[in-house]
Amino acid sequence: MFLEIRSGYAHKYELLRSYVQIVMHEAMKIQPPNTFYQPFNASERISTLFLELLELQFPIDAPSQTLKLKTANEFALQLNIHTNTLNRALKESTGKTTTEWIAGRIVNEAKALLQFSNWDISEVAYSLGFEHPSNFIIFFKKQTGKTPLQLRKEFGSASV
């Protein structure tokens, strides 16, 4: 990994992220199955399934890759439950709404892409499911209090 970071390879940050993911998955395979979290009730089971489905969409590795599930309704359809059931289960077991979970995860991925990729703002926006960069900028600023460009400058990225 040290050799990769010092290399001139244009996609070295994506490669490093992949290496870290491989290490994480190898560590999870070592963990005995009986120590995995077991839900106690239906709300926790639904919440666990939702969070797994949400995480399966990440990380975004290429500008052409886009999120398939972006709304509470799309997740509920995928889980074969009603949207209200999903919202109620998440609120009961996590204290957050479906929309808060989705928005939070999109913001976290946006921050990672802004920090570790050289994609322009419109590529980041498109890959996160926004048809127009202006909608992404408004969403991002509402969630973080900063524009994507301001955050990228804080990270010290040279390309915008």
Side-chain angles (χ1 to χ4, degrees):
M1 290 173 81
F2 288 119
L3 292 173
E4 294 295 345
I5 197 70
R6 286 189 220 116
S7 75
Y9 181 54
H11 304 286
K12 64 184 172 187
Y13 293 111
E14 286 115 24
L15 182 60
L16 288 170
R17 188 179 346 175
S18 296
Y19 285 160
V20 170
Q21 286 179 332
I22 290 169
V23 170
M24 288 173 29
H25 284 285
E26 290 298 327
M28 289 189 311
K29 286 184 349 188
I30 294 171
Q31 184 178 11
N34 62 351
T35 60
F36 290 124
Y37 171 75
Q38 298 293 321
F40 294 109
N41 59 37
S43 291
E44 288 187 16
R45 184 179 60 78
I46 290 169
S47 297
T48 300
L49 291 172
F50 164 78
L51 294 171
E52 286 175 3
L53 197 55
L54 179 62
E55 284 301 317
L56 282 174
Q57 299 189 101
F58 300 99
I60 303 291
D61 295 320
S64 60
Q65 180 185 352
T66 61
L67 294 182
K68 302 294 182 239
L69 305 171
K70 298 175 283 247
T71 67
N73 189 47
E74 291 170 341
F75 279 95
L77 286 172
Q78 188 72 25
L79 294 169
N80 294 316
I81 58 175
H82 193 275
T83 306
N84 293 346
T85 305
L86 175 59
N87 287 329
R88 193 176 321 110
L90 275 170
K91 190 70 172 175
E92 179 183 315
S93 63
T94 69
K96 287 182 169 181
T97 66
T98 310
T99 304
E100 288 172 329
W101 276 107
I102 296 168
R105 189 58 184 92
I106 289 173
V107 166
N108 286 344
E109 187 67 11
K111 287 178 180 177
L113 291 172
L114 291 167
Q115 182 176 8
F116 297 113
S117 78
N118 59 356
W119 304 355
D120 61 38
I121 303 299
S122 62
E123 289 175 316
V124 173
Y126 176 75
S127 69
L128 294 174
F130 294 88
E131 288 185 30
H132 304 287
S134 59
N135 293 344
F136 169 66
I137 293 167
I138 292 166
F139 165 82
F140 192 85
K141 187 165 185 175
K142 181 179 177 185
Q143 297 292 320
T144 65
K146 299 175 183 176
T147 67
L149 190 57
Q150 288 171 327
L151 190 73
R152 181 167 266 175
K153 285 180 181 176
E154 283 182 17
F155 290 136
S157 180
S159 61
V160 179

Coordinates of all heavy atoms in Angstrom, one line a residue, residues 50 53-78 102 106 109 125-130:
F50 N -32.3 -3.6 6.1 CA -32.3 -2.3 5.4 C -30.8 -1.8 5.4 O -30.3 -1.4 4.3 CB -33.2 -1.3 6.1 CG -32.9 0.1 5.7 CD1 -33.3 0.6 4.4 CD2 -32.1 1.0 6.5 CE1 -33.0 1.9 4.1 CE2 -31.8 2.3 6.1 CZ -32.3 2.7 4.9
L53 N -28.7 -3.7 3.0 CA -29.0 -3.3 1.6 C -28.4 -1.9 1.3 O -27.9 -1.7 0.2 CB -30.5 -3.3 1.5 CG -31.1 -3.4 0.1 CD1 -30.6 -4.5 -0.7 CD2 -32.6 -3.4 0.2
L54 N -28.5 -1.0 2.2 CA -28.0 0.3 2.0 C -26.5 0.2 1.8 O -25.9 0.8 0.8 CB -28.3 1.2 3.2 CG -27.8 2.6 3.2 CD1 -28.4 3.4 2.0 CD2 -28.1 3.3 4.5
E55 N -25.8 -0.5 2.6 CA -24.3 -0.6 2.5 C -23.8 -1.3 1.3 O -22.7 -1.1 0.8 CB -23.7 -1.3 3.8 CG -23.7 -0.4 5.0 CD -22.9 0.9 4.8 OE1 -21.8 0.8 4.2 OE2 -23.4 2.0 5.2
L56 N -24.6 -2.2 0.8 CA -24.2 -3.0 -0.4 C -24.0 -2.1 -1.6 O -23.4 -2.5 -2.6 CB -25.3 -4.1 -0.7 CG -25.2 -5.3 0.1 CD1 -26.4 -6.2 -0.2 CD2 -23.9 -6.1 -0.1
Q57 N -24.6 -0.9 -1.6 CA -24.5 0.0 -2.7 C -23.2 0.8 -2.7 O -22.9 1.4 -3.7 CB -25.6 1.0 -2.7 CG -27.0 0.3 -2.8 CD -28.1 1.4 -3.1 OE1 -28.5 1.6 -4.2 NE2 -28.4 2.1 -2.0
F58 N -22.4 0.6 -1.7 CA -21.2 1.4 -1.5 C -20.0 0.5 -1.4 O -20.2 -0.6 -0.9 CB -21.3 2.3 -0.3 CG -22.5 3.3 -0.4 CD1 -23.7 3.0 0.2 CD2 -22.3 4.5 -1.1 CE1 -24.7 3.9 0.1 CE2 -23.4 5.4 -1.3 CZ -24.6 5.1 -0.6
P59 N -18.8 1.0 -1.7 CA -18.5 2.3 -2.2 C -18.8 2.4 -3.7 O -18.9 1.4 -4.4 CB -17.0 2.4 -2.0 CG -16.5 1.0 -2.1 CD -17.6 0.1 -1.6
I60 N -18.8 3.6 -4.1 CA -19.0 3.9 -5.6 C -17.6 4.0 -6.1 O -16.7 4.8 -5.7 CB -19.7 5.3 -5.8 CG1 -21.1 5.3 -5.1 CG2 -19.8 5.6 -7.3 CD1 -22.1 4.5 -5.7
D61 N -17.3 3.1 -7.1 CA -15.9 3.0 -7.6 C -15.6 3.7 -8.9 O -14.5 3.8 -9.3 CB -15.6 1.5 -7.7 CG -15.5 0.8 -6.4 OD1 -15.0 1.4 -5.4 OD2 -16.0 -0.3 -6.3
A62 N -16.7 4.0 -9.6 CA -16.5 4.7 -10.9 C -17.6 5.7 -11.2 O -18.8 5.5 -10.7 CB -16.5 3.6 -12.0
P63 N -17.3 6.7 -11.9 CA -18.4 7.7 -12.2 C -19.6 7.2 -12.9 O -20.7 7.7 -12.7 CB -17.7 8.8 -13.0 CG -16.2 8.6 -12.8 CD -16.0 7.1 -12.4
S64 N -19.4 6.1 -13.6 CA -20.6 5.5 -14.3 C -21.4 4.6 -13.4 O -22.6 4.3 -13.8 CB -20.1 4.6 -15.5 OG -19.2 3.6 -15.0
Q65 N -20.9 4.3 -12.2 CA -21.7 3.5 -11.3 C -22.7 4.4 -10.5 O -22.3 5.4 -10.0 CB -20.8 2.8 -10.3 CG -21.4 2.0 -9.2 CD -20.4 1.4 -8.2 OE1 -19.2 1.6 -8.4 NE2 -21.0 0.8 -7.2
T66 N -23.9 4.1 -10.5 CA -24.9 4.9 -9.8 C -25.7 4.1 -8.8 O -25.8 2.9 -8.8 CB -25.9 5.5 -10.8 OG1 -26.6 4.5 -11.4 CG2 -25.2 6.4 -11.8
L67 N -26.2 4.8 -7.8 CA -27.1 4.2 -6.8 C -28.3 3.7 -7.4 O -29.0 4.4 -8.2 CB -27.4 5.2 -5.7 CG -26.3 5.7 -4.8 CD1 -26.8 6.6 -3.7 CD2 -25.5 4.5 -4.2
K68 N -28.7 2.4 -7.1 CA -30.0 1.9 -7.6 C -31.1 2.2 -6.7 O -32.2 2.4 -7.1 CB -29.8 0.3 -7.7 CG -28.7 -0.1 -8.6 CD -28.9 0.3 -10.1 CE -27.8 -0.2 -10.9 NZ -27.1 0.8 -11.6
L69 N -30.9 2.2 -5.4 CA -31.9 2.5 -4.4 C -31.6 3.8 -3.7 O -30.6 4.0 -3.1 CB -32.0 1.3 -3.3 CG -32.1 -0.1 -3.9 CD1 -31.9 -1.1 -2.8 CD2 -33.5 -0.3 -4.6
K70 N -32.6 4.7 -3.8 CA -32.3 6.1 -3.3 C -33.4 6.6 -2.4 O -33.2 7.5 -1.6 CB -32.2 7.1 -4.5 CG -31.0 6.8 -5.4 CD -31.0 7.8 -6.6 CE -32.0 7.4 -7.5 NZ -31.7 6.9 -8.8
T71 N -34.6 5.9 -2.4 CA -35.7 6.4 -1.6 C -36.2 5.3 -0.6 O -35.9 4.1 -0.9 CB -36.9 6.8 -2.4 OG1 -37.4 5.7 -3.1 CG2 -36.5 7.9 -3.5
A72 N -36.9 5.7 0.4 CA -37.5 4.7 1.3 C -38.4 3.7 0.6 O -38.4 2.5 0.9 CB -38.2 5.5 2.4
N73 N -39.2 4.2 -0.4 CA -40.1 3.4 -1.1 C -39.3 2.3 -1.9 O -39.7 1.1 -1.9 CB -41.0 4.2 -2.0 CG -42.0 3.4 -2.7 OD1 -42.7 2.6 -2.0 ND2 -42.2 3.5 -3.9
E74 N -38.2 2.7 -2.5 CA -37.4 1.7 -3.3 C -36.8 0.7 -2.4 O -36.8 -0.5 -2.8 CB -36.3 2.5 -4.0 CG -36.8 3.3 -5.2 CD -35.7 4.3 -5.8 OE1 -34.7 4.5 -5.1 OE2 -36.0 4.7 -6.9
F75 N -36.4 1.0 -1.2 CA -35.8 0.1 -0.3 C -37.0 -0.9 0.2 O -36.8 -2.1 0.3 CB -35.2 0.7 0.9 CG -33.8 1.2 0.7 CD1 -33.5 2.5 0.3 CD2 -32.7 0.3 0.8 CE1 -32.2 2.9 0.0 CE2 -31.4 0.7 0.6 CZ -31.2 2.0 0.1
A76 N -38.1 -0.3 0.5 CA -39.3 -1.1 1.0 C -39.7 -2.1 0.0 O -39.9 -3.3 0.3 CB -40.4 -0.2 1.4
L77 N -39.7 -1.7 -1.3 CA -40.1 -2.6 -2.4 C -39.1 -3.8 -2.4 O -39.4 -4.9 -2.6 CB -40.2 -1.9 -3.7 CG -41.4 -1.0 -3.9 CD1 -41.2 -0.2 -5.2 CD2 -42.6 -1.8 -4.0
Q78 N -37.8 -3.4 -2.3 CA -36.8 -4.5 -2.4 C -36.9 -5.4 -1.2 O -36.6 -6.6 -1.3 CB -35.4 -3.8 -2.3 CG -34.2 -4.7 -2.6 CD -34.1 -5.1 -4.0 OE1 -34.6 -4.5 -4.9 NE2 -33.5 -6.3 -4.2
I102 N -30.5 7.1 4.7 CA -30.1 7.2 3.3 C -29.3 8.5 3.1 O -28.2 8.4 2.5 CB -31.3 7.2 2.4 CG1 -32.0 5.8 2.5 CG2 -30.9 7.4 0.9 CD1 -33.4 5.8 1.8
I106 N -25.3 8.7 1.9 CA -24.9 9.4 0.7 C -23.9 10.5 1.0 O -23.0 10.7 0.3 CB -26.2 10.0 0.0 CG1 -27.0 8.8 -0.6 CG2 -25.8 11.0 -1.1 CD1 -28.3 9.2 -1.2
E109 N -20.5 9.0 1.6 CA -19.9 8.6 0.4 C -19.4 9.8 -0.4 O -18.4 9.8 -1.0 CB -20.8 7.7 -0.4 CG -20.2 7.1 -1.7 CD -19.1 6.1 -1.3 OE1 -19.0 5.6 -0.2 OE2 -18.4 5.7 -2.3
A125 N -22.1 13.9 -8.2 CA -23.5 14.0 -8.1 C -24.2 12.9 -8.8 O -25.2 12.3 -8.3 CB -23.9 15.4 -8.6
Y126 N -23.8 12.7 -10.1 CA -24.5 11.7 -10.9 C -24.4 10.3 -10.3 O -25.3 9.5 -10.2 CB -23.9 11.7 -12.3 CG -24.5 10.6 -13.2 CD1 -25.8 10.7 -13.7 CD2 -23.8 9.4 -13.4 CE1 -26.4 9.6 -14.4 CE2 -24.3 8.4 -14.2 CZ -25.6 8.5 -14.7 OH -26.1 7.5 -15.4
S127 N -23.2 10.0 -9.8 CA -23.0 8.6 -9.2 C -23.8 8.4 -7.9 O -24.1 7.3 -7.6 CB -21.5 8.4 -9.0 OG -21.0 9.2 -7.9
L128 N -24.1 9.5 -7.3 CA -24.9 9.4 -6.0 C -26.4 9.5 -6.3 O -27.2 9.6 -5.4 CB -24.4 10.4 -5.0 CG -23.0 10.2 -4.5 CD1 -22.6 11.3 -3.6 CD2 -22.9 8.8 -3.8
G129 N -26.8 9.5 -7.6 CA -28.2 9.5 -7.9 C -28.9 10.9 -8.2 O -30.1 10.9 -8.3
F130 N -28.1 11.9 -8.3 CA -28.6 13.2 -8.6 C -28.5 13.5 -10.1 O -27.4 13.4 -10.7 CB -27.9 14.3 -7.8 CG -28.0 14.2 -6.3 CD1 -27.2 13.4 -5.6 CD2 -29.1 14.9 -5.7 CE1 -27.4 13.3 -4.2 CE2 -29.2 14.8 -4.3 CZ -28.4 14.0 -3.6

